[in-house]
Amino acid sequence: MEKETAFIEFRDVTKRFNGLTVLDRVNLQIYEGHITTIIGKSGVGKSVLLKHIIGLLSPDEGTILFNRKPVHQMKKNEWDSYRSRISYMFQNNALFDSMTVFDNIAMPLRQTTNLGKKEIKKKVMNRIEQTELTEVAFRYPSELSGGMQKRVALARALVTDPKIVLFDEPTTGQDPIRKNVILSMIAQYKRKFGFTAVIISHDIPDVFFISDRILLLWEGKIGFQGPYEEAIKMKHPLIDEFFDSLEGLQDELTGLLSKQMFRSRYTTIWERRLIDTSITAILFSVELDLITEALGARAALEVVKSLGEYINVHLGALGGFSARQSRDHILTILPYAELNEARQLLNNFAKGLQHRALLDIQTTARAKIDASQCFEIYVYAGTTEVKSNDSLDDIINRAKANQSIIATVTCELPEVRAA
């Protein structure tokens, strides 16, 4: 694969405060169009790193490059152009209570551009519609829920059409559904508007589902940078210590295992078996993007939540264990079921899922949409045998090839299909 050129690069960046070294010869790369998430324990300098990207802080030593050009060598017009391409979403939203939602979102355009009132109104209302804030456009932040305030802050960050958006703990203080709604919005808008996202987050593992790359900041240095999948496969003391330090590491949205715990349990199964016996896997999928477009991000995540909880209760009771492998794929391993038995279990599971777990989604969705609209939500599943030398990628690919629709929720009558 052709090596990409870094959009933003740190070379031996060092920053000290009162003699304390916070960033110690940091080297990192951020690539255009990616979602890069910075993780690490509290107080290790993640926000300091973010402020260097936007220019709120300058390094004591080292170089920061934008499109391969050192920032400190930029002329004033180049520097202004660089800064104008970056937007920042603050941890506490930083909304002005004395200003309406409309005026909060319009403020960056009024302060940094020469656009007229009509152009500003058009751009602001466009972002308000896209972030589903039309009904509260002329209300004040204090009148809104925490989730809506986050959406206002996100709309303001996007109103200038930035090339880079920096998110400082965007999901702090939110419940599992709202956390995932906000993360889904970031991923959805990144695809729609094409910006590069850099996120600081403690919400592990949820944030990994939208991240292209992660950077682990550890004791002032970069302990790891690369795709999440590479991180959990590596045997690196820094990575192991970081993940071991996290309490209750699980998927908050669904209650399923984290991918690390899932991988560990899968490995343990084969280590404890005396013979090469086959076991079974089931891959469940929903089309989150299609559901989001039809019903909104919250309804889409309610589907995943219901599916995950139902899998946890019914297949967990049979000795199965499960984890989200991506935003809309859940993999279950059944260590004590042969393939034919697993298929029968899946048939029974599909009927229960249709008539219990998804009916709430159907009711919620109908209440949100116009009576003339129609929608369809499909749940897919595929089974496959598993051998001791199978990687999880092998299992997922084979199961995906065998997937079919097992349950459907529509605006019409519920429908069950044999697995």
Side-chain angles (χ1 to χ4, degrees):
M1 188 173 72
E2 186 177 338
K3 189 175 181 181
E4 294 181 87
T5 301
F7 195 37
I8 297 171
E9 185 175 2
F10 281 38
R11 293 182 183 173
D12 294 325
V13 168
T14 297
K15 186 66 178 179
R16 303 180 187 90
F17 294 99
N18 299 321
L20 177 65
T21 300
V22 177
L23 301 180
D24 185 10
R25 297 179 66 82
V26 164
N27 291 280
L28 64 82
Q29 295 81 40
I30 293 168
Y31 295 99
E32 188 169 7
H34 284 192
I35 296 178
T36 299
T37 297
I38 303 169
I39 60 174
K41 292 183 178 181
S42 296
V44 297
K46 299 188 297 296
S47 292
V48 171
L49 194 155
L50 214 61
K51 288 173 182 176
H52 276 76
I53 294 174
I54 200 172
L56 293 176
L57 292 173
S58 299
D60 296 327
E61 299 168 17
T63 304
I64 298 172
L65 297 92
F66 175 69
N67 271 344
R68 294 180 289 186
K69 180 158 188 178
V71 168
H72 71 270
Q73 293 180 5
M74 289 182 178
K75 297 176 182 177
K76 185 181 184 303
N77 64 327
E78 292 176 309
W79 172 248
D80 290 342
S81 175
Y82 166 67
R83 284 290 301 272
S84 69
R85 297 165 110 184
I86 302 177
S87 189
Y88 196 108
M89 181 172 165
F90 295 91
Q91 180 176 342
N92 62 357
N93 301 327
L95 301 176
F96 292 91
D97 288 334
S98 60
M99 298 167 61
T100 64
V101 166
F102 180 95
D103 288 330
N104 267 282
I105 296 171
M107 188 176 64
L109 294 175
R110 290 169 176 163
Q111 290 187 341
T112 64
T113 73
N114 295 318
L115 296 176
K117 287 184 178 180
K118 287 185 178 180
E119 291 174 290
I120 288 175
K121 182 179 179 180
K122 182 178 179 181
K123 287 181 73 71
V124 172
M125 291 308 299
N126 188 35
R127 287 292 183 264
I128 283 174
E129 290 170 9
Q130 290 165 339
T131 49
E132 300 177 36
L133 292 166
T134 305
E135 294 181 2
V136 299
F138 298 100
R139 292 170 65 180
Y140 293 89
S142 60
E143 300 177 284
L144 308 182
S145 66
M148 277 194 171
Q149 290 180 15
K150 289 285 183 187
R151 295 215 303 270
V152 175
L154 183 56
R156 183 178 62 187
L158 297 176
V159 76
T160 57
D161 299 316
K163 291 289 291 181
I164 306 163
V165 185
L166 310 179
F167 300 89
D168 192 352
E169 296 285 2
T171 56
T172 297
Q174 303 293 312
D175 63 46
I177 281 284
R178 287 194 180 98
K179 285 178 185 177
N180 279 268
V181 166
I182 292 166
L183 294 173
S184 292
M185 282 196 302
I186 292 172
Q188 178 187 359
Y189 296 145
K190 194 273 287 187
R191 288 193 299 273
K192 184 181 290 187
F193 304 128
F195 58 80
T196 299
V198 182
I199 306 172
I200 289 176
S201 181
H202 286 101
D203 287 319
I204 298 167
D206 296 308
V207 72
F208 291 156
F209 292 116
I210 68 165
S211 303
D212 298 300
R213 284 166 54 86
I214 60 170
L215 304 180
L216 171 59
L217 188 60
W218 188 269
E219 297 180 351
K221 298 180 181 291
I222 298 296
F224 170 83
Q225 59 180 316
Y228 166 68
E229 294 296 338
E230 287 183 13
I232 61 175
K233 290 176 183 177
M234 288 180 65
K235 291 297 180 185
H236 192 293
L238 288 181
I239 295 171
D240 291 343
E241 186 176 346
F242 175 74
F243 285 132
D244 289 345
S245 73
L246 300 170
E247 297 179 4
L249 187 60
Q250 68 172 145
D251 184 345
E252 278 191 297
L253 180 69
T254 61
L256 301 177
L257 296 177
S258 69
K259 291 171 77 172
Q260 295 98 301
M261 294 291 291
F262 181 91
R263 186 178 293 274
S264 175
R265 189 172 296 187
Y266 175 70
T267 302
T268 301
I269 285 176
W270 295 115
E271 288 175 348
R272 292 180 179 175
R273 283 183 179 252
L274 299 178
I275 57 174
D276 187 16
T277 307
S278 66
I279 59 178
T280 306
I282 305 175
L283 182 69
F284 297 93
S285 303
V286 291
E287 295 177 328
L288 269 187
D289 289 341
L290 295 179
I291 302 171
T292 300
E293 287 177 14
L295 304 174
R298 187 176 184 88
L301 290 165
E302 289 282 4
V303 173
V304 178
K305 183 175 185 290
S306 295
L307 178 60
E309 290 173 345
Y310 199 73
I311 289 170
N312 210 18
V313 170
H314 291 273
L315 298 184
L318 302 173
F321 58 95
S322 310
R324 267 199 297 170
Q325 301 298 318
S326 65
R327 288 177 63 234
D328 44 11
H329 289 84
I330 295 173
L331 182 65
T332 297
I333 298 291
L334 294 169
Y336 310 108
E338 297 293 332
L339 187 59
N340 288 335
E341 184 183 0
R343 286 172 176 162
Q344 185 56 51
L345 288 171
L346 183 56
N347 272 314
N348 296 334
F349 174 91
K351 293 174 183 177
L353 177 71
Q354 182 78 65
H355 290 298
R356 297 172 200 163
L358 293 185
L359 282 183
D360 288 343
I361 301 300
Q362 187 180 45
T363 302
T364 301
R366 282 176 174 170
K368 288 184 63 175
I369 64 174
D370 184 89
S372 64
Q373 287 182 283
C374 192
F375 63 89
E376 291 183 320
I377 299 170
Y378 301 110
V379 179
Y380 300 82
T383 58
T384 185
E385 280 190 321
V386 181
K387 298 291 185 179
S388 61
N389 60 346
D390 282 338
S391 69
L392 291 178
D393 287 341
D394 292 336
I395 296 167
I396 290 169
N397 289 333
R398 286 206 309 273
K400 189 180 292 186
N402 294 330
Q403 278 189 327
S404 59
I405 297 169
I406 63 163
T408 307
V409 175
T410 72
C411 56
E412 305 300 336
L413 295 175
E415 179 183 347
V416 179
R417 306 193 186 192

